[in-house]
Amino acid sequence: MGMARFDNYDAEVPVIEAIRGGDRYAFSELVRRHSGWVRGVVFGVLGNRDGVEDVSQQVWTAVWQRIGELREPNRWRPWVYRLARNAAIDAGREWKRRRQRFQTLDAEHANAEPANRREPGPGDARRESGVAEKHRMVLSAVKGLPALYREPFVLRHLSGWTYREIADVMGMPVDSVETRLVRARRLLRESLRDEVK
């Protein structure tokens, strides 16, 4: 996910003002510069890469449609963060409802017909490369973090945000961000240690 620096919120204010005036080029520049961390926020909430691109597109559509609601242009980033977080929460709820419906249908289907599916064999896992396996393990461990810890972890380590930036958009003290990141790292180490055993 792309890194972006946000040392100065005011640097994007002219771009935000141009977007408020209907400038599509300015909007595409904002998306280009900041789509990486928006995807990071969505992933941080969902805990799953599936659907991140779709939800991120929904977020940017909402930004374009609702930019007039932004009262303080220099507070654009916390506003986009909230849009991204809320869109991801809504998507997660919808996917959970769909999954429950499909599980019910699958259970009914399984009772009606015997399944003739091939079970993965021990050789299948060995075919994966070591790097791909490590990546999968880390991603799985991050996915397994509670959202409370996953969100700041993704913003810090995948999007490259500072503690202050995370604290600002999440509306909490920097000390709380630091505490959550320490806990996230500890949980990840424990999870990865268990995975390796």
Side-chain angles (χ1 to χ4, degrees):
M1 297 189 188
M3 287 194 177
R5 299 305 310 138
F6 301 102
D7 298 326
N8 183 358
Y9 279 6
D10 295 334
E12 294 290 12
V13 170
V15 176
I16 298 299
E17 293 293 0
I19 295 167
R20 287 163 64 113
D23 186 332
R24 288 187 179 274
Y25 176 76
F27 177 68
S28 66
E29 276 300 297
L30 188 76
V31 172
R32 185 185 64 76
R33 293 179 198 164
H34 303 290
S35 62
W37 70 259
V38 168
R39 286 193 304 273
V41 169
V42 173
F43 173 73
V45 173
L46 292 177
N48 193 328
R49 288 186 299 177
D50 298 338
V52 166
E53 290 302 321
D54 290 341
V55 175
S56 298
Q57 286 295 327
Q58 292 170 17
V59 171
W60 288 115
T61 299
V63 168
W64 176 256
Q65 292 171 344
R66 298 174 58 187
I67 193 75
E69 297 173 15
L70 178 60
R71 298 288 172 240
E72 299 174 63
N74 65 331
R75 300 286 301 157
W76 66 272
R77 191 169 59 144
W79 180 73
V80 173
Y81 169 81
R82 283 190 300 277
L83 288 176
R85 189 172 193 283
N86 291 339
I89 289 169
D90 291 346
R93 286 181 185 143
E94 179 58 29
W95 294 340
K96 186 175 180 180
R97 281 193 293 270
R98 286 184 191 165
R99 202 167 34 248
Q100 288 169 343
R101 283 194 297 254
F102 285 127
Q103 286 171 345
T104 302
L105 290 172
D106 285 347
E108 291 170 1
H109 182 70
N111 291 335
E113 299 177 18
N116 290 325
R117 293 185 194 144
R118 176 188 165 276
E119 292 294 322
D124 293 340
R126 284 192 294 263
R127 288 188 200 110
E128 291 184 19
S129 72
V131 173
E133 180 63 16
K134 286 179 185 176
H135 180 74
R136 183 204 60 76
M137 286 170 48
V138 170
L139 199 55
S140 177
V142 171
K143 178 181 173 181
L145 287 172
L148 176 75
Y149 304 123
R150 186 175 58 240
E151 288 181 60
F153 182 85
V154 168
L155 290 174
R156 175 72 182 137
H157 295 287
L158 299 184
S159 296
W161 287 22
T162 66
Y163 287 18
R164 166 62 56 205
E165 292 164 348
I166 297 167
D168 188 46
V169 298
M170 295 188 79
M172 66 177 64
V174 172
D175 290 350
S176 297
V177 171
E178 185 173 359
T179 300
R180 290 184 187 190
L181 287 169
V182 166
R183 181 69 178 140
R185 291 181 197 115
R186 185 179 305 129
L187 289 170
L188 280 174
R189 278 193 301 272
E190 291 169 6
S191 175
L192 290 169
R193 188 170 48 242
D194 293 343
E195 189 88 23
V196 170
K197 286 180 180 177

